[in-house]
């Protein structure tokens, strides 16, 4: 049996997909006014301000923490700069109970959902209050309370997991969906293709959100794929797809809202490609001057998504110069004070080294741990972070 | 001779191989104009063009599958996996394909030209996904060679040998030493033998064995032990698969004691294989149990990585225990 209903041709007919030119959905111009013919979205003042505050907070957090990394207070950092609208606009269109499975550049989603600056700092400094117990590099956040799955570094692994998670949500029938974020680079991984195919076949309420920000570390999108971006791939799996101006907060919100209703009400998975630009370096370890020009960055600086939203808010008389000043000052102060607090907190207890590998510590590992503690007690000066914790209970292991 | 760090030595080896043979190609994520995230492939695209040194899309299984095909066709691919932690998406291509190409086809086809380079290991505040030492997973797979250099001179000579070797070879680079390890490297094209361990220091009381970044740790531990009058023989295994049983056994015949160290977890780690083989060969000569100093049986931590790692103090204590048994 064949599943194709294609027309029969009597000479070889090839197509290369060049006809797949997917339009870009936009609502908001850079000056804060709407495009001609664009319908004003239905976003309340309260919601608009929640979104805007999240964007500004994310930007300030990023600036401060990059500076902290440069001062040597922090080992590593990654910014969302330039992509705040893509991330926060989409998250804001969801129900706060929907699951988020992110890549690593989506701190904006957490800010929007109310992750506190303290919670960010505890993870960044890997202190005793870090939910991840100081096991992962900075920016690998997670929050069960805010339905934000803890980040895993291996790229794209979260995408098929999102399909599975959302399938479980469908079975539960509680009307929730999962959104998964990833870059256009990660979309090359096999996991991406597996995820889309399974979602389409099993009609899973999942939203795949590709942040196409032009680069995967140094690799430009043109060396990532030959096609017109990531969006056309959805056709191959028969999945709904939309391409959005990723710097347009209103368009991102509207597109995601519509995607959510397709997913939740009709069990149709959706692919959203948000077209944006990674304004910052890939990470604090990266120097983009080796692979792209300042001029190119400047063009995108002109399209700043935060400024665009601010101008829209001002045009609606929902925001003033004064509001902006206050928000900026308060956030900067809060970030700095919180950072100092978090930095001073002690590291996680020594037994976090062996907990959570399994539900219980297996005997062989417990034995290794006892030996380690005895070793640390013999050389407390060599282990400044854990010497205190190693004192006490365990039997002295001796040299053998 | 030129003073180089390990990255420069690796870059120099790639340059040497590409200059000598136009079938040699280098590719992987960010390998092109940028020269790789660690800069191991700097200037190669500028020198040899985009057809021979290029960025791939971000898909490890694709990179190695592509490399297998290229090698089967007669090219000499040197594929970079950005971190050894990200080699696992390509596990199927390596373990089921690279390793078995020759065997399953009765040698009609092989991918002997293939070399896979990947930075491995901890001590760089990388946490669980930028610190792993996966050599033991691959050592369980007949058909592969696995090589780990300890310094710039070794890196160039071993990498050139891996590229010229007629078997698919995994080349794990100790990234902690990329810039930290500096030394004289010959300018010419030279190879160091694969499958041979190197005795770095002769001694009579105990054999201390490791590879890659652990060799520096061993050196430090041995200094401490020797101050107390313990004579150590130090061996760098260099090739994990196939490994040099002869050299290690001969050393243990002499010293009667063996301490093996690696960063990967204890259980199923390659030290277990070495211990089993050596006790089989040298049972009647052993004066104490073979000791393993390794990472713990946990994923690799971040804040407590120092505690987790088999450092010089732990190796030193193992040496002493072994001698005082
Ligand atoms: C499986 C895997 N391979 C490689 C890496 C190393 N790596 C981390 S980020 C990155 C680039 C990702 O680019 P993209 O998905 O476009 O996201 P962006 O950084 O642009 O937001 C790479 C190659 C990784 N983390 N996981």
């Amino acid at each position: 049996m064949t599943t194709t209903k294609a027309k029969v041709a009597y000479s070889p007919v090839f197509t290369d997909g060049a006809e797949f030119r997917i339009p870009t959905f936009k609502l908001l111009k850079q000056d804060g006014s709407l495009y001609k013919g664009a319908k004003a979205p239905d976003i309340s003042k309260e919601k608009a301000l929640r979104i805007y505050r999240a964007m500004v907070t994310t930007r300030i957090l990023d600036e401060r923490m990059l500076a902290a990394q440069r001062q040597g207070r922090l080992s590593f950092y990654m910014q969302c700069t330039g992509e705040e609208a893509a991330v926060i606009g989409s998250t804001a269109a969801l129900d706060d109970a929907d699951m988020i499975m992110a890549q690593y550049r989506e701190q904006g989603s957490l800010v929007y959902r109310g992750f506190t600056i303290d919670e960010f700092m505890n993870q960044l400094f890997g202190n005793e209050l870090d939910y991840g117990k100081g096991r992962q590099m900075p920016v690998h956040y997670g929050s069960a309370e805010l339905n934000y799955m803890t980040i895993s570094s291996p790229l794209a692994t979260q995408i098929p997991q999102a399909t599975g998670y959302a399938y479980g949500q469908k079975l539960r029938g509680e009307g929730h969906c999962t959104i998964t974020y990833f870059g256009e680079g990660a979309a090359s991984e096999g996991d991406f293709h597996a995820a889309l195919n399974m979602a389409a076949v099993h009609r899973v309420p999942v939203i795949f959100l590709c942040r196409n920000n032009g680069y995967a570390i140094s690799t430009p999108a043109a060396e990532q794929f030959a096609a017109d971006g990531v969006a056309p791939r959805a056709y191959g799996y028969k999945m709904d797809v939309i391409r959005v101006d990723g710097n347009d907060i209103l368009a991102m919100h509207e597109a995601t809202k519509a995607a959510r209703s397709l997913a939740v009400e009709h069990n149709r998975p959706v692919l959203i490609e948000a077209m944006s630009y990674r304004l910052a370096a890939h990470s604090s370890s990266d120097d983009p001057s080796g692979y792209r020009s300042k001029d190119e960055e400047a063009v995108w600086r002109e399209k700043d998504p935060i400024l665009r939203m601010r101008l829209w808010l001002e045009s609606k008389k929902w925001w003033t110069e004064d509001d902006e000043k206050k928000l900026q000052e308060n956030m900067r102060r809060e970030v700095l004070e919180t950072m100092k607090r978090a930095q001073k907190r002690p590291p996680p207890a020594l037994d976090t080294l062996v907990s959570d590998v399994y539900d219980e510590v297996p005997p062989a590992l417990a034995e290794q741990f006892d030996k380690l503690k005895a070793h640390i007690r013999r050389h407390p000066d060599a282990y400044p972070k854990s010497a205190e914790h190693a004192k006490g209970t365990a039997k002295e292991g001796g040299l053998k | 001779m030129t003073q180089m760090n390990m990255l420069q030595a690796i870059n120099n080896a790639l340059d040497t191989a590409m200059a000598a043979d136009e079938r040699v190609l280098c590719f992987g994520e960010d390998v092109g104009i940028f020269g790789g995230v660690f800069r191991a492939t700097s200037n190669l695209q500028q020198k040899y063009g985009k057809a021979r040194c290029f960025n791939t899309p971000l898909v490890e299984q694709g990179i190695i599958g592509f490399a297998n095909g290229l090698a089967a066709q007669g090219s000499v691919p040197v594929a970079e996996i950005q971190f050894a932690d990200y080699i696992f998406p390509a596990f199927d291509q390596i373990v089921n394909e690279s390793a078995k190409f020759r065997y399953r086809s009765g040698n009609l086809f092989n991918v002997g030209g293939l070399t896979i380079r990947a930075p491995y290991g901890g001590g760089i505040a990388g946490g669980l996904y930028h610190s792993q030492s996966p050599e033991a997973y691959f050592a369980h797979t007949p058909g592969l060679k696995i090589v780990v250099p300890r310094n710039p001179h070794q890196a160039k000579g071993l990498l050139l040998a891996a590229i010229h070797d007629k078997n698919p070879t995994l080349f794990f680079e100790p990234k902690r030493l990329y810039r930290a390890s500096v030394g004289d490297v010959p300018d010419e094209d030279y190879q160091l033998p694969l499958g041979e361990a190197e005795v770095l220091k002769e001694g009579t009381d105990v054999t201390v064995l490791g590879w890659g970044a652990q060799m520096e740790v061993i050196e430090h531990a041995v200094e401490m032990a020797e101050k107390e009058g313990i004579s150590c023989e130090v061996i760098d295994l260099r090739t994990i698969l196939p490994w040099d049983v002869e050299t290690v056994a001969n050393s243990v015949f002499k010293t009667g004691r063996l301490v093996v160290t690696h960063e990967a977890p204890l259980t199923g780690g390659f030290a277990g294989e070495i211990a089993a083989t050596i006790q089989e060969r040298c049972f009647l000569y052993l004066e104490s149990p073979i000791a393993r100093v390794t990472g713990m049986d946990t994923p690799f931590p971040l804040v407590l990585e120092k505690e987790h790692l088999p450092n010089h103090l732990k190796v030193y204590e193992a040496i002493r225990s072994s001698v005082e048994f």
Side-chain angles (χ1 to χ4, degrees):
Chain A
M1 194 193 90
T2 163
T3 54
T4 174
K5 298 187 192 86
K7 270 192 214 151
V8 177
Y10 296 101
S11 59
V13 178
F14 296 93
T15 60
D16 71 355
E19 68 270 28
F20 295 157
R21 282 282 158 203
I22 297 187
T24 303
F25 173 49
K26 298 171 177 235
L27 293 173
L28 190 59
K29 291 199 271 185
Q30 191 60 32
D31 66 6
S33 66
L34 292 178
Y35 282 99
K36 214 171 120 205
K39 199 172 141 277
D42 173 26
I43 296 182
S44 67
K45 176 179 173 185
E46 188 201 1
K47 178 149 197 173
L49 293 182
R50 179 176 169 195
I51 292 173
Y52 184 68
R53 287 202 179 93
M55 290 170 89
V56 173
T57 302
T58 305
R59 181 71 62 92
I60 291 174
L61 182 70
D62 282 355
E63 284 168 2
R64 291 282 112 198
M65 296 327 286
L66 184 75
Q69 196 280 334
R70 295 285 180 250
Q71 295 162 356
R73 291 161 168 241
L74 198 63
S75 59
F76 177 84
Y77 195 73
M78 291 177 100
Q79 296 167 271
C80 165
T81 303
E83 298 177 72
E84 293 92 345
V87 170
I88 297 167
S90 51
T91 293
L94 304 175
D95 188 303
D96 281 352
D98 292 339
M99 179 47 98
I100 295 177
M101 295 202 181
Q103 179 160 307
Y104 49 54
R105 210 183 287 289
E106 294 85 358
Q107 49 268 50
S109 302
L110 276 171
V111 174
Y112 180 82
R113 285 200 172 172
F115 206 58
T116 65
I117 301 293
D118 263 307
E119 290 174 298
F120 277 108
M121 293 299 163
N122 294 335
Q123 197 287 329
L124 291 170
F125 288 99
N127 66 28
E128 60 178 359
L129 297 180
D130 169 20
Y131 301 138
K133 303 179 189 168
R135 292 173 180 146
Q136 292 214 76
M137 285 171 68
V139 313
H140 288 65
Y141 309 111
S143 170
E145 204 188 321
L146 300 179
N147 299 302
Y148 190 95
M149 186 68 75
T150 301
I151 305 297
S152 170
S153 312
L155 288 166
T157 48
Q158 81 280 12
I159 312 176
Q161 292 169 13
T163 300
Y165 198 97
Y167 187 73
Q169 289 172 313
K170 173 174 148 176
L171 293 185
R172 286 276 179 93
E174 288 166 2
H176 288 130
C177 68
T178 296
I179 192 168
T180 177
Y181 292 89
F182 48 90
E184 85 290 347
S188 291
E189 293 281 6
D191 273 350
F192 164 85
H193 298 274
L196 263 65
N197 196 26
M198 288 188 76
V201 168
H202 295 289
R203 301 187 55 114
V204 176
V206 56
I207 300 170
F208 299 100
L209 200 148
C210 177
R211 296 179 289 94
N212 186 338
N213 63 12
Y215 287 87
I217 310 190
S218 72
T219 304
E223 292 177 30
Q224 195 65 245
F225 35 67
D228 174 29
V230 171
R233 294 178 198 172
Y235 294 164
Y237 297 111
K238 195 174 182 308
M239 186 184 299
D240 292 314
V241 59
I242 187 168
R243 173 174 286 157
V244 186
D245 177 347
N247 287 20
D248 177 343
I249 190 79
L250 300 182
M252 281 306 302
H253 185 275
E254 291 307 283
T256 312
K257 201 169 92 185
R260 185 179 191 276
S261 65
L262 281 172
V264 172
E265 288 155 33
H266 306 281
N267 289 314
R268 298 178 69 100
V270 183
L271 173 64
I272 300 175
E273 185 177 25
M275 306 306 291
S276 186
Y277 190 80
R278 196 195 74 208
L279 264 182
H282 167 69
S283 74
S284 56
S285 315
D286 173 48
D287 172 13
S289 70
Y291 55 84
R292 70 187 192 192
S293 70
K294 284 268 171 254
D295 288 351
E296 180 186 305
E297 290 173 31
V299 170
W300 281 91
R301 241 168 245 293
E302 299 286 304
K303 303 182 190 178
D304 189 327
I306 300 188
L307 179 63
R308 193 183 304 185
M309 184 181 194
R310 180 176 161 191
L311 293 172
W312 178 68
L313 291 176
E314 286 177 358
S315 77
K316 300 196 66 118
K317 307 264 180 283
W318 286 352
W319 195 250
T320 65
E321 187 73 44
D322 202 41
D323 294 330
E324 181 73 20
K325 238 180 91 185
K326 267 195 217 127
L327 174 60
Q328 294 268 354
E329 277 170 16
N330 290 340
M331 275 327 301
R332 268 172 226 281
R333 186 164 3 91
E334 184 176 347
V335 168
L336 278 178
E337 283 168 6
T338 318
M339 171 162 66
K340 281 184 199 144
R341 238 187 349 262
Q343 221 185 339
K344 279 195 205 116
R345 279 197 186 283
L350 184 58
D351 57 14
T352 59
L353 203 47
V354 294
S355 60
D356 304 327
V357 184
Y358 298 94
D359 62 336
E360 289 172 1
V361 180
L365 183 54
E367 194 186 320
Q368 290 175 27
F369 189 49
D370 280 343
K371 278 193 186 158
L372 173 70
K373 280 193 286 192
H375 170 81
I376 294 173
R377 284 198 294 275
R378 287 192 296 274
H379 306 276
D381 297 344
Y383 301 92
K385 280 187 185 144
S386 51
E388 197 57 32
H389 288 299
K391 279 188 187 155
T393 55
K395 287 201 306 279
E396 183 67 36
L399 273 185
K400 285 162 207 159
Chain B
M1 289 281 186
T2 309
Q3 278 261 314
M4 291 183 197
N5 66 28
M6 192 180 288
L7 279 169
Q8 292 163 330
I10 288 163
N11 183 253
N12 186 263
L14 294 171
D15 192 358
T16 304
M18 291 179 91
D21 181 352
E22 62 182 26
R23 295 173 312 150
V24 179
L25 292 92
C26 291
F27 50 87
E29 293 156 17
D30 300 292
V31 158
I33 191 84
F34 190 52
V37 292
F38 291 103
R39 299 295 193 278
T41 54
S42 289
N43 295 318
L44 297 178
Q45 184 173 84
Q46 288 85 329
K47 221 163 153 179
Y48 300 103
K50 270 195 165 180
R52 291 182 59 202
C53 176
F54 50 92
N55 288 336
T56 65
L58 210 171
V59 52
E60 292 79 9
Q61 67 188 94
I63 294 170
I64 303 304
F66 177 91
N68 277 333
L70 254 175
Q73 175 274 338
S75 294
V76 183
V78 186
E80 177 177 297
I81 296 293
Q82 201 161 77
F83 286 88
D85 309 73
Y86 305 134
I87 204 167
F88 299 116
F91 202 68
D92 184 43
Q93 280 290 339
I94 299 170
V95 165
N96 275 334
E97 304 301 321
S98 313
K100 300 175 174 75
F101 235 92
R102 194 191 305 270
Y103 185 79
R104 71 162 175 252
S105 70
N107 204 18
L108 288 182
F109 301 98
N110 72 77
V111 295
L114 172 65
T115 303
I116 302 168
R117 299 178 33 247
Y120 87 95
I124 53 128
L128 63 172
Y129 295 121
H130 294 84
S131 306
Q132 295 174 78
S133 300
E135 68 273 7
Y137 293 108
F138 297 100
H140 197 55
T141 304
L144 302 173
K145 290 195 178 182
I146 303 168
V147 180
V148 190
R150 71 170 183 277
N151 65 25
H153 173 263
Q154 294 281 314
K156 179 175 174 184
L158 289 170
L159 181 53
L160 281 167
I163 291 169
H164 289 113
D165 193 84
K166 304 232 169 326
N167 298 282
T169 303
L170 298 174
F171 193 78
F172 288 119
E173 301 167 2
K175 61 179 171 291
R176 184 166 85 225
L177 303 185
Y178 264 161
R179 293 197 167 81
S181 177
V182 179
D184 279 336
V185 177
D187 299 314
E188 68 269 12
D189 193 344
Y190 67 97
Q191 294 179 37
L192 296 170
L194 302 188
E196 281 184 26
E198 188 185 11
V199 179
L200 298 186
K201 204 184 90 54
E202 308 227 354
T204 51
D205 295 334
V206 54
T207 303
V208 190
L209 174 69
W211 49 86
Q214 277 311 95
M215 296 316 297
E216 214 194 20
V217 171
I218 289 176
E219 193 186 334
H220 199 161
V222 162
E223 264 170 38
M224 291 174 69
E226 303 234 301
K227 277 201 189 113
E228 298 179 5
I230 302 171
S231 164
C232 303
E233 180 140 311
V234 176
I235 302 181
D236 176 4
L237 196 60
R238 300 199 291 193
T239 304
I240 310 300
L241 195 71
W243 67 285
D244 183 354
V245 179
E246 246 12 81
T247 299
V248 182
N250 285 338
S251 173
V252 176
F253 285 136
K254 184 170 75 175
T255 63
R257 299 180 184 90
L258 177 63
V259 173
V260 189
T261 176
H262 58 62
E263 288 184 25
L266 180 78
T267 301
F270 199 67
E273 180 60 36
I274 294 171
T277 305
I278 293 302
Q279 71 86 21
E280 223 168 66
R281 289 280 187 114
C282 310
F283 185 65
L284 294 177
Y285 294 79
L286 284 171
E287 306 276 351
S288 63
I290 296 170
R292 291 176 289 167
V293 187
T294 69
M296 298 173 79
D297 285 351
T298 72
F300 202 101
L302 178 80
V303 173
L304 298 174
E305 85 173 328
K306 200 166 176 204
E307 284 72 4
H308 177 87
L309 276 169
N311 60 15
H312 66 280
L313 283 174
K314 294 179 188 173
V315 176
Y316 158 75
E317 288 198 334
I319 293 171
R320 274 196 46 191
S321 295
S322 178
V323 172
E324 290 165 12
F325 182 76

